[in-house]
Every structure is written in C-alpha cells, then in structure tokens.
Amino acid sequence: MKVGILAGGLGTRLAEETEIRPKPMVEIGAKPILWHIMMHYYAYGHREFAVALGYKGEYIKRWFSDYVAFDGSLTVNAASGSVKRHSNSLPDWSVDLVETGLNTLTGGRIKRLIDWMGDETFMLTWGDGVSDVNLDKLIAFHKSHGKLATMTAVRPPARYGHIEFDGHRVVDFTEKPQASEGWINGAFFVLEPGIKDYIDGDDVMFEHAPMQRLATDGQLMAYRHESFWQCMDTIREKHLLQKLWDSGQAPWKTWELIDESSGYRPPRLHRFRPDSDAA
C-alpha cells in the first residue's frame, strides 16, 4: 500500500528551525523526522512513498539525493571523476517527490497526491509526527468497515503535570502525562481515492470541510490508538523527541522492535555486499 506524506507546510510555529529548512527535515537523532516516519511505515512492509512538497521543497530533494549518494563507503577516481559505492544499509524505498505548490493547503496537497497513488487504497500522514501505531491493525480496521476514510484518533499529551491528592497531601505526580480524556486527529490515515470528490481545490484544509463532509455522509471512521503519539509543532516538542531518542527508549523506533505476542518482525534493511576486491 502506497504512503503519502504531507511535507509542504511553512511550519511557522517551529520558526527556530524552519527558517532554514522545512519542518519534516528538522532532525531527531541526526536524521530528519521525515526519515523516522518513513522508517515506521517501512517496518510494516510499506516501501512506496509519495511526499508532497511545497515550502523549501528543494531541501527535501537535495537530502534524498545526498542520502542515496553518500551512504556507506566510497572510492573516488579523481582522474575520471567516477565514484564507486561499496556498501550501505539503505532501506528499499521508492520515493516520489511531488511538487504540490507553495501555498497549497492540506486538502489540495492530498488531492494532488491521489494521482500518484495508482487509484488504490493508500495511507497518508503529516510530515511532523511520530507514533507506534500498529499499521497492520489500522489497515485491517479500515478494510473491515468499507468506508472512504479512516483516521487514527489519539489522546493528546497534556501540557502540564498531573497531580493526585489525598486531602492536601500529594500522592502522585506525573510530569506531562498523556491526557486521559478526549481524542484528537493523530493523522495516520487510510484512505480511498474517492475522497478526492470531497476536496474542492488547493485552498481547502482537509481537516475542515472535507473531513466534516465525510463525517456527515458516514464515510469517516476512527481507529483509536491508546499508545504513543507525538507531534513536533514547537521547539519544546522537538527537544522532547530528541530526549526520548537519546534515552534509547524512543517508542516510535518500531523498525528495531520485536513483538512476541503478535509475531511481528520488522524487515531487514536492504544491504549491498562490498566488492571482494575492495572489502
């Protein structure tokens, strides 16, 4: 199933980073958050991507070109200018980098991406949030109801610490826990091409009229995800994700996890063997 990722927004709430690069290229653990998102999908066997470009789209194009060109060891022949790659551990991805306009809103970007999806069910997410959502279960849920759209509903992280009392005595304090009430759109959609009819043009936010109309028509379903989800809208959230990564306990690092209960095994990355004369 092909995966669309929206990566064209201005990212104004993260201006400390996005003045020089698009938000999906802001790094966590020396890799853009876009890479983290794609690796999560790859862990579940999804290898075909279409990335909707807009603001500073050339930065994303350049990153992918460099990622492919410079990973692993190289031998450079200075006289001929030839470059020989010996080994790498690149994921087996096919990535369409699709220009969708500088000022196009989310609905317009999705409508433009649909033509790249092969007229089939596809997955979609934003380029600024990570999760450990089980994509196999998400797809199975979507197929079970037969509607046009499934979104992943998540509980938002709380902004402040949570206190529990016994009289005036504090019996428990949790620093910024996940909210226990309320659900929000966590993206990680599964969609049918027919959603295109709900999007009027480039100046439409998918989260507004299209999703409202889908809901009114009974075509929008929610997959409730109770576990980890975190967006990266602010510098504080960027630092939070970096702290989780540095701790070695990043919940979204599904490509290195083994779930014994489900039998899920992430695929090995595609590897090239070094040439025998240069090993």
Side-chain angles (χ1 to χ4, degrees):
M1 193 175 292
K2 200 161 185 177
V3 181
I5 303 176
L6 302 192
L10 298 176
T12 54
R13 285 180 289 182
L14 194 60
E16 300 93 334
E17 294 276 356
T18 56
E19 285 187 359
I20 60 172
R21 53 188 165 185
K23 185 159 66 165
M25 288 287 102
V26 174
E27 293 185 349
I28 304 297
K31 287 286 197 302
I33 193 170
L34 178 61
W35 177 90
H36 292 260
I37 295 166
M38 293 172 70
M39 284 297 291
H40 176 58
Y41 280 98
Y42 184 59
Y44 284 85
H46 302 281
R47 294 170 169 79
E48 295 185 66
F49 299 88
V51 181
L53 305 180
Y55 174 69
K56 295 189 181 295
E58 71 282 356
Y59 194 112
I60 297 177
K61 292 178 181 177
R62 189 180 307 114
W63 184 86
F64 274 103
S65 296
D66 291 348
Y67 182 47
V68 172
F70 300 128
D71 185 79
S73 300
L74 307 175
T75 295
V76 179
N77 187 306
S80 66
S82 65
V83 178
K84 185 176 184 179
R85 294 166 56 194
H86 295 286
S87 64
N88 62 34
S89 56
L90 293 176
D92 183 18
W93 291 345
S94 172
V95 187
D96 299 319
L97 300 172
V98 184
E99 291 289 355
T100 58
L102 178 61
N103 298 312
T104 306
L105 300 183
T106 54
R109 295 194 196 282
I110 293 169
K111 192 165 188 174
R112 294 188 183 204
L113 279 187
I114 290 175
D115 292 337
W116 295 77
M117 295 299 172
D119 198 31
E120 298 176 351
T121 306
F122 64 98
M123 307 186 81
L124 178 92
T125 195
W126 309 154
D128 62 356
V130 288
S131 176
D132 62 354
V133 59
N134 187 310
L135 299 176
D136 289 344
K137 292 181 178 180
L138 173 61
I139 292 171
F141 174 77
H142 178 78
K143 290 180 177 178
S144 73
H145 59 64
K147 306 298 184 182
L148 290 178
T150 297
M151 72 172 176
T152 298
V154 299
R155 297 189 186 277
R159 292 185 61 192
Y160 307 105
H162 174 73
I163 303 172
E164 291 187 10
F165 295 98
D166 178 7
H168 293 287
R169 184 173 66 89
V170 174
V171 295
D172 187 49
F173 176 78
T174 306
E175 176 65 14
K176 297 182 178 65
Q178 190 176 48
S180 59
E181 297 180 0
W183 296 87
I184 63 171
N185 171 24
F188 292 93
F189 295 92
V190 185
L191 302 170
E192 300 297 329
I195 67 158
K196 188 174 185 178
D197 296 336
Y198 287 79
I199 304 171
D200 293 332
D202 284 352
D203 58 348
V204 174
M205 291 287 287
F206 184 64
E207 307 91 303
H208 294 169
M211 287 185 66
Q212 291 167 1
R213 289 169 57 198
L214 284 163
T216 299
D217 290 351
Q219 292 294 330
L220 177 62
M221 304 292 283
Y223 176 81
R224 290 181 176 88
H225 175 60
E226 299 270 7
S227 188
F228 178 82
W229 175 89
Q230 179 63 58
C231 63
M232 189 185 67
D233 277 341
T234 65
I235 196 68
R236 183 190 69 80
E237 290 166 341
K238 190 263 188 189
H239 291 326
L240 170 63
L241 291 173
Q242 184 64 57
K243 184 177 179 180
L244 285 170
W245 184 265
D246 291 342
S247 73
Q249 302 296 320
W252 69 90
K253 200 175 182 181
T254 49
W255 54 95
E256 291 190 359
L257 298 179
I258 296 177
D259 185 345
E260 297 295 345
S261 61
S262 68
Y264 161 65
R265 298 290 189 278
R268 292 182 179 274
L269 297 182
H270 184 61
R271 299 184 183 276
F272 294 91
R273 293 184 180 277
D275 297 327
S276 58
D277 61 350

